[in-house]
Amino acid sequence: MKDKTTRDLIVEAADQLFYQQGYEHTSFANIADAVKISRGNFYYHFKTKDEILDAVIAARLVNTQKMLDQWEVEGQEPIDRIRCFIRILIANQTKIMSYGCPVGTLCNELAKLNHASKDQASMLFTLFRNWLGGQFSLLGCNTEADAMAMHLLARSQGVATLANAFHDEIFIQQEVQQMCDWVELCKERASPKVV
Amino acid sequence: MKDKTTRDLIVEAADQLFYQQGYEHTSFANIADAVKISRGNFYYHFKTKDEILDAVIAARLVNTQKMLDQWEVEGQEPIDRIRCFIRILIANQTKIMSYGCPVGTLCNELAKLNHASKDQASMLFTLFRNWLGGQFSLLGCNTEADAMAMHLLARSQGVATLANAFHDEIFIQQEVQQMCDWVELCKERASPKVV
DNA sequence: GTCTATACCTGGATAGAC
DNA sequence: GTCTATCCAGGTATAGAC
């Protein structure tokens, strides 16, 4: 269970490099160097570059789902769980300022390439969307739960894009605070405290 | 004043292609085809691909400034002008759903390439930021004007990213409406109507 | 200013030895 | 399963004729 196969190592390295350099800009040589295997060996594990991309997306889907499951445990109330989501902007702020959001930037790139796997990449967003939608439902925002999930997802995406462009972590923190306030407000509107 | 030079045509074609396909994915051959000149001729006008990128960014800066100046004329009140900004999401929704925001996606790509011109590309955001900041100041939100500009910029970026991933124009329209409502609220808070 | 031809390199992909 | 050697396409860039 502990030692990773070469295939796993390739996927892991590719995942990182695709994030940091972009899919197209990352060559087999780059990945091979990172894993410390020869380029030829590569093709034993993956026949094409597209196959690696698919494997990377699949791995991200699994890891994302795990993270969501984890938040389900960590956050007692729906509002706490939503805050877990918002706070990834803080937790990952250094990376975000350098490379943007891993999901958003990948979707952007694949859309421009009109790549066959672009819809698969969007599934990463769908995972967050559905999970957030579920939390907003639990919060009492039944009819608008999905719209609110999309709204929050969009705001966090925008923050990542601008934080990347301006390298501004104060901005991230301000916006995170505002998003938390907004969720709080949503909750109160959905089930007003009886005073 | 009317006939465009070959250089202008190259910049125009490159601008479009960089937007639709991304900078890296666009080859000289692509641009040459679009302009209907030979690849060789290319190098008479630009020595390297980076030079074309710089020219494209410079052109976008000029065009963006023109657009902002235009909004200054079109919108009587600051709030009308800010609405001009918000509504580009609607005006360009088809393109946005296919290729995302031209500014955000370019900045993302150049950041990953760690390209020398990435800061120049971010200047496009700065143009919007400062202009919006000016409008929010006029609206009466003096101390927070810049933060509000950044907030609105971020929200529109996020909307573009998700609209691209989900190809959802209803979502764009809903979010545009919410942004307009938010600006309205900002205005009222800054200078409350005396009833 | 525009063209053709071409040099040169990188990157994806294959073949076959070990 | 991993390696070396190699092929081939495509992309940047140059030279030089017109």
Side-chain angles (χ1 to χ4, degrees):
Chain A
M1 179 93 192
K2 200 66 241 189
D3 5 273
K4 289 168 186 161
T5 63
T6 302
R7 197 196 137 96
D8 291 338
L9 292 172
I10 292 174
V11 172
E12 231 170 66
D15 189 355
Q16 268 208 56
L17 288 169
F18 288 172
Y19 176 37
Q20 295 173 358
Q21 312 186 340
Y23 170 66
E24 252 209 324
H25 191 59
T26 300
S27 68
F28 280 12
N30 292 152
I31 307 176
D33 283 356
V35 188
K36 292 190 178 59
I37 58 169
S38 71
R39 252 181 300 170
N41 185 5
F42 229 98
Y43 288 84
Y44 173 77
H45 299 281
F46 297 95
K47 271 160 215 56
T48 67
K49 197 179 176 184
D50 290 352
E51 269 188 30
I52 305 179
L53 176 61
D54 285 339
V56 166
I57 295 174
R60 287 196 190 179
L61 285 167
V62 169
N63 291 333
T64 302
Q65 188 57 55
K66 274 187 198 156
M67 185 170 67
L68 296 175
D69 292 345
Q70 180 59 29
W71 289 346
E72 205 85 33
V73 178
E74 279 176 31
Q76 297 227 312
E77 302 285 320
I79 190 168
D80 301 317
R81 296 178 200 148
I82 296 172
R83 277 196 275 248
C84 283
F85 167 79
I86 297 172
R87 279 198 220 101
I88 42 174
L89 282 168
I90 304 274
N92 298 334
Q93 62 182 332
T94 308
K95 284 183 183 176
I96 288 171
M97 286 190 294
S98 298
Y99 316 114
C101 164
V103 182
T105 55
L106 181 66
C107 286
N108 269 334
E109 184 177 1
L110 297 184
K112 296 216 192 230
L113 301 183
N114 200 17
H115 194 285
S117 301
K118 67 176 174 175
D119 291 333
Q120 258 320 94
S122 298
M123 283 299 300
L124 286 160
F125 272 138
T126 305
L127 236 46
F128 284 106
R129 176 183 188 168
N130 292 344
W131 184 85
L132 283 171
Q135 304 308 322
F136 279 112
S137 278
L138 289 173
L139 213 58
C141 324
N142 294 302
T143 58
E144 299 172 56
D146 180 60
M148 292 168 92
M150 284 289 279
H151 177 81
L152 192 57
L153 211 43
R155 280 174 69 169
S156 61
Q157 278 301 304
V159 171
T161 302
L162 287 197
N164 182 223
F166 289 119
H167 299 282
D168 184 345
E169 61 187 78
I170 304 293
F171 166 69
I172 299 182
Q173 285 150 22
Q174 285 174 341
E175 287 290 324
V176 162
Q177 185 57 49
Q178 282 189 46
M179 282 188 262
C180 287
D181 293 347
W182 175 79
V183 175
E184 187 77 40
L185 210 74
C186 291
K187 185 192 169 189
E188 281 169 23
R189 260 202 305 250
S191 53
K193 283 201 187 90
V194 185
V195 189
Chain B
M1 179 93 192
K2 200 68 243 190
D3 4 275
K4 290 166 186 163
T5 63
T6 302
R7 197 197 137 97
D8 292 338
L9 291 173
I10 291 174
V11 172
E12 230 169 65
D15 189 355
Q16 268 208 56
L17 288 169
F18 288 172
Y19 176 37
Q20 295 173 358
Q21 312 187 339
Y23 170 66
E24 251 208 325
H25 192 59
T26 301
S27 68
F28 281 11
N30 292 152
I31 306 176
D33 283 356
V35 187
K36 291 188 180 61
I37 59 169
S38 71
R39 255 180 299 171
N41 185 5
F42 228 98
Y43 288 85
Y44 173 76
H45 299 282
F46 297 95
K47 271 159 216 56
T48 68
K49 197 179 176 184
D50 290 351
E51 269 188 31
I52 304 179
L53 176 61
D54 285 338
V56 166
I57 295 174
R60 287 196 190 179
L61 285 167
V62 169
N63 292 333
T64 302
Q65 189 56 55
K66 275 187 199 155
M67 185 170 67
L68 296 175
D69 292 344
Q70 180 60 28
W71 290 345
E72 205 85 34
V73 178
E74 278 177 29
Q76 298 227 313
E77 303 286 320
I79 190 168
D80 301 316
R81 296 178 201 148
I82 296 171
R83 277 196 277 248
C84 284
F85 167 79
I86 297 172
R87 279 198 220 100
I88 42 174
L89 281 168
I90 303 274
N92 298 335
Q93 62 183 331
T94 309
K95 284 183 183 178
I96 288 170
M97 285 191 293
S98 298
Y99 316 114
C101 165
V103 182
T105 54
L106 182 65
C107 286
N108 270 334
E109 183 178 1
L110 297 184
K112 295 215 194 233
L113 302 182
N114 201 17
H115 194 286
S117 301
K118 67 176 175 174
D119 291 333
Q120 258 319 95
S122 298
M123 283 299 300
L124 286 161
F125 272 138
T126 305
L127 236 46
F128 284 107
R129 176 184 188 167
N130 291 344
W131 184 86
L132 283 170
Q135 304 307 322
F136 279 112
S137 278
L138 289 173
L139 212 58
C141 324
N142 293 303
T143 58
E144 299 172 56
D146 181 60
M148 292 168 92
M150 283 290 278
H151 177 81
L152 193 57
L153 210 44
R155 280 175 69 170
S156 61
Q157 278 301 303
V159 171
T161 301
L162 287 198
N164 182 223
F166 289 119
H167 299 281
D168 183 344
E169 61 188 77
I170 304 293
F171 167 68
I172 299 181
Q173 284 151 22
Q174 286 174 341
E175 287 289 324
V176 162
Q177 185 56 51
Q178 282 189 47
M179 282 187 261
C180 288
D181 293 347
W182 175 79
V183 175
E184 187 76 41
L185 210 73
C186 290
K187 186 191 168 188
E188 280 169 25
R189 260 201 306 250
S191 52
K193 283 201 188 89
V194 185
V195 189

